[in-house]
Amino acid sequence: MHERILTIETLEQIETTLENLLKSTASIKDIDELTKSADGILRLNGICMSFIIIGEEIKRIDRYTKKQFLSRLVGKSNKRRADISD
């Protein structure tokens, strides 16, 4: 049961991170905004760090669920692809 609570809390943290990422990138119109200035590069670094954090959180969930979480997601994803290609 403890792992279930940790998994839910971690999913909530991922959701918050994604919401913040969407808000912080909504005004970006062109990639040059992130690559042509020092401020843009700092912003891009922050975006990349958010994705790294999300990846680490997903790996943590996989540990909590004894590698069942990601295997279920991959299985569902493969099934959807097979359904689409039929």
Side-chain angles (χ1 to χ4, degrees):
M1 187 59 146
H2 180 67
E3 287 81 9
R4 182 178 172 87
I5 292 168
L6 291 173
T7 299
I8 291 168
E9 289 174 354
T10 305
L11 285 169
E12 289 170 347
Q13 291 171 350
I14 290 170
E15 181 180 35
T16 299
T17 302
L18 287 170
E19 288 170 352
N20 291 337
L21 201 69
L22 287 171
K23 288 176 192 172
S24 70
T25 58
S27 65
I28 298 171
K29 303 287 187 248
D30 190 281
I31 190 67
D32 288 341
E33 293 178 44
L34 300 175
T35 60
K36 299 293 182 187
S37 71
D39 286 340
I41 290 171
L42 285 174
R43 194 169 179 192
L44 179 59
N45 286 341
I47 293 166
C48 293
M49 284 302 293
S50 293
F51 283 114
I52 291 168
I53 290 167
I54 290 167
E56 291 300 320
E57 295 292 333
I58 290 170
K59 288 194 303 188
R60 184 174 294 128
I61 290 171
D62 209 34
R63 282 195 305 272
Y64 295 152
T65 63
K66 297 175 181 52
K67 302 208 180 278
Q68 296 299 308
F69 180 74
L70 289 178
S71 64
R72 286 184 201 160
L73 290 180
V74 170
K76 289 178 182 180
S77 176
N78 288 339
K79 183 180 180 324
R80 278 190 224 123
R81 272 188 242 145
D83 292 343
I84 291 169
S85 64
D86 288 342

